[in-house]
Amino acid sequence: SVKAERLSPQAVRITAEATLPAASSSYVTTWTVYGSGDLVVEARFTPGGELPELPRFGMQMAVPGALGTMTWLGRGPHENYWDRHTGAPVGRYSGRVADLVHDYVRPQENANRTDVRWIALTGPDGSGLLASGLPLLSVSAWPYTMEDLETTTHAALLPRRDTITLNLDYRQTGVGGDDGWGARPHAQYTLEPRPYEYRFRLRPYAPSMGRLEDVARRPVDLQ
């Protein structure tokens, strides 16, 4: 079901309630749209029965390929994961999306950054899309799709699309591999099948608005 409600003259909330095929689990997505252009997104997942662990919990979108520069406040500069991030200090980093991916010989999940406060994808003129975690996100951006990663057999065969795949996740299960040959992630770095929810904010960005870090900290303008 989908419903829309006016919260105020400056805000509208859209709620989509779905039942997933996996154990008839509940998934509720809420978009609160403000007149300022801000969009607050919330997702809630409730297992309906017995499920295996979740590889990740989050959302994915495609943005224009012209927004090819990624800037973020979080762990970096290299890729890092829930159980592989102590060597990646929190800081402000920036680079081309095409340069921030890691093309493993066998295409697979890559380029994740954890504990991200905000992330921006911008074009040559500095304008683009700003996403802020409420409070933190696990993020990655690829110049190809998830389907490309699943179906391509070698890194040299990965296409470069005219869109960028942006993953804004609550979290991913850790990568494990303590022994180098397939050890499972530790229990504390595993997304057990239980209820999860998270929120983030999207807002358009232009250099005339000020520095990215300042704009990311500004509250939603309700006027």
Side-chain angles (χ1 to χ4, degrees):
S1 65
V2 179
K3 68 176 181 179
E5 54 185 326
R6 182 178 296 277
L7 304 180
S8 72
Q10 298 84 20
V12 173
R13 177 173 294 156
I14 302 168
T15 304
E17 299 184 8
T19 301
L20 303 179
S24 297
S25 301
S26 170
Y27 191 86
V28 180
T29 311
T30 302
W31 298 268
T32 305
V33 187
Y34 296 92
S36 61
D38 289 298
L39 174 64
V40 175
V41 185
E42 180 177 359
R44 300 194 306 274
F45 169 77
T46 306
E50 186 174 346
L51 288 172
E53 66 183 55
L54 279 62
R56 72 200 302 162
F57 176 59
M59 293 188 184
Q60 185 180 92
M61 70 180 78
V63 300
L67 303 182
T69 298
M70 173 172 149
T71 306
W72 73 100
L73 178 61
R75 292 192 180 272
H78 49 77
E79 68 173 10
N80 52 87
Y81 293 84
W82 193 5
D83 58 351
R84 292 289 186 276
H85 69 211
T86 55
V90 173
R92 185 188 191 277
Y93 304 99
S94 186
R96 297 288 299 170
V97 169
D99 298 329
L100 295 173
V101 297
H102 192 108
D103 286 334
Y104 294 98
V105 174
R106 179 179 64 81
Q108 58 192 281
E109 168 66 35
N110 73 91
N112 190 71
R113 270 76 180 179
T114 61
D115 294 341
V116 173
R117 280 67 169 169
W118 56 262
I119 175 177
L121 290 181
T122 55
D125 65 351
S127 300
L129 178 68
L130 176 64
S132 301
L134 299 170
L136 299 174
L137 295 170
S138 178
V139 307
S140 57
W142 308 320
Y144 37 69
T145 67
M146 182 174 283
E147 289 74 20
D148 292 331
L149 287 176
E150 293 174 348
T151 59
T152 305
T153 57
H154 195 283
L157 301 176
L158 276 171
R160 289 299 189 264
R161 303 292 183 182
D162 58 2
T163 57
I164 291 170
T165 300
L166 176 61
N167 300 293
L168 299 174
D169 297 333
Y170 163 71
R171 191 165 283 167
Q172 291 187 45
T173 284
V175 297
D178 287 359
D179 56 16
W181 57 84
R184 302 277 303 153
H186 293 201
Q188 65 266 37
Y189 303 118
T190 301
L191 289 175
E192 298 294 340
R194 60 175 178 81
Y196 291 99
E197 62 179 88
Y198 82 126
R199 295 193 308 148
F200 58 88
R201 182 184 66 202
L202 300 175
R203 88 179 356 160
Y205 174 77
S208 60
M209 298 168 66
R211 299 188 309 161
L212 275 168
E213 42 269 76
D214 295 334
V215 177
R217 286 195 293 262
R218 290 175 191 164
V220 174
D221 184 1
L222 300 181
Q223 300 302 316

